[in-house]
Amino acid sequence: MATRTASEFAIRRCTASDAKMLGELAARLFTEAYGPTHPEPELSRYLARSFSVDKVRGEITDGDVTMFVAEDETTHPLGYAFLRKTKELPEGVSSYNSFEVVRFYVEAAAQGRGVGAALMEKCFDESRQRSADTIWLQVWKEAPWAIGFYTRMGFSAVGSASFYFGEQVGDDQIMSRTL
């Protein structure tokens, strides 16, 4: 069931039939956010590995995963969230039942319209419905816009981790929030 907001966008749960759209959206938004700092040829390899239709379809149909997409009134996708129940926790996250926001992106043109906050609230709601006590994520330390958003949504820094991108190793922040 889609949630309609005053800003004329809807958020709905993804199904296997959304795999192609979601893979294309994910690749486009990753490139929009990180293309300038994550160069070719590794960018193309990463996109192919991470966002193929088969990989995305497998993730969508995994019982521990929930994906949401935000769409405008013409069903143009504006952003998405990839939420997964976690069995292993990174250092700094304490929980008996947690969910990780694996990926979370909103296109630049839709930012500031409440799309990101509404998507994150769907992640909180889904996690609570599945009896989670904690939600956490990993974010690049050199992405102050993302860190600021997550902080406004109630997350706080609890640790750090590495993100491997070809020969490049990013320094990420682990952020967590109690539900």
Side-chain angles (χ1 to χ4, degrees):
M1 176 166 201
T3 302
R4 180 65 63 188
T5 71
S7 300
E8 293 306 313
F9 62 86
I11 298 174
R12 65 176 178 81
R13 186 179 304 267
C14 295
T15 66
S17 65
D18 293 313
K20 183 178 186 310
M21 174 276 298
L22 197 58
E24 290 170 356
L25 175 66
R28 177 173 62 86
L29 296 183
F30 184 90
T31 301
E32 181 180 285
Y34 299 111
T37 57
H38 293 69
E40 293 293 354
E42 187 55 36
L43 177 62
S44 292
R45 289 193 288 260
Y46 178 82
L47 297 175
R49 252 189 339 267
S50 301
F51 307 122
S52 73
V53 173
D54 289 339
K55 179 166 177 57
V56 172
R57 183 179 296 111
E59 291 167 338
I60 290 171
T61 59
D62 181 324
D64 287 338
V65 170
T66 302
M67 291 194 195
F68 296 109
V69 63
E71 299 170 318
D72 68 14
E73 60 276 357
T74 68
T75 70
H76 169 76
L78 304 171
Y80 76 101
F82 175 161
L83 183 67
R84 176 178 56 207
K85 180 173 177 45
T86 51
K87 295 168 181 68
E88 294 181 29
L89 298 174
E91 193 171 326
V93 177
S94 176
S95 174
Y96 70 86
N97 184 20
S98 69
F99 280 76
E100 175 189 9
V101 178
V102 178
R103 292 194 180 96
F104 190 93
Y105 291 93
V106 175
E107 69 179 22
Q111 292 175 8
R113 295 178 25 206
V115 175
L119 267 171
M120 188 59 76
E121 287 296 336
K122 290 294 272 188
C123 291
F124 295 160
D125 292 346
E126 177 71 13
S127 298
R128 283 186 198 105
Q129 288 172 12
R130 295 176 71 180
S131 302
D133 64 331
T134 304
I135 189 167
W136 65 278
L137 54 85
Q138 185 171 324
V139 59
W140 191 30
K141 286 183 180 175
E142 293 181 44
W145 66 92
I147 292 169
F149 169 77
Y150 297 134
T151 300
R152 287 189 302 278
M153 295 303 300
F155 288 87
S156 56
V158 296
S160 62
S162 297
F163 177 78
Y164 298 92
F165 188 87
E167 299 293 315
Q168 208 173 314
V169 180
D171 190 20
D172 285 4
Q173 193 168 78
I174 303 295
M175 299 184 81
S176 178
R177 174 189 156 144
T178 302
L179 294 172

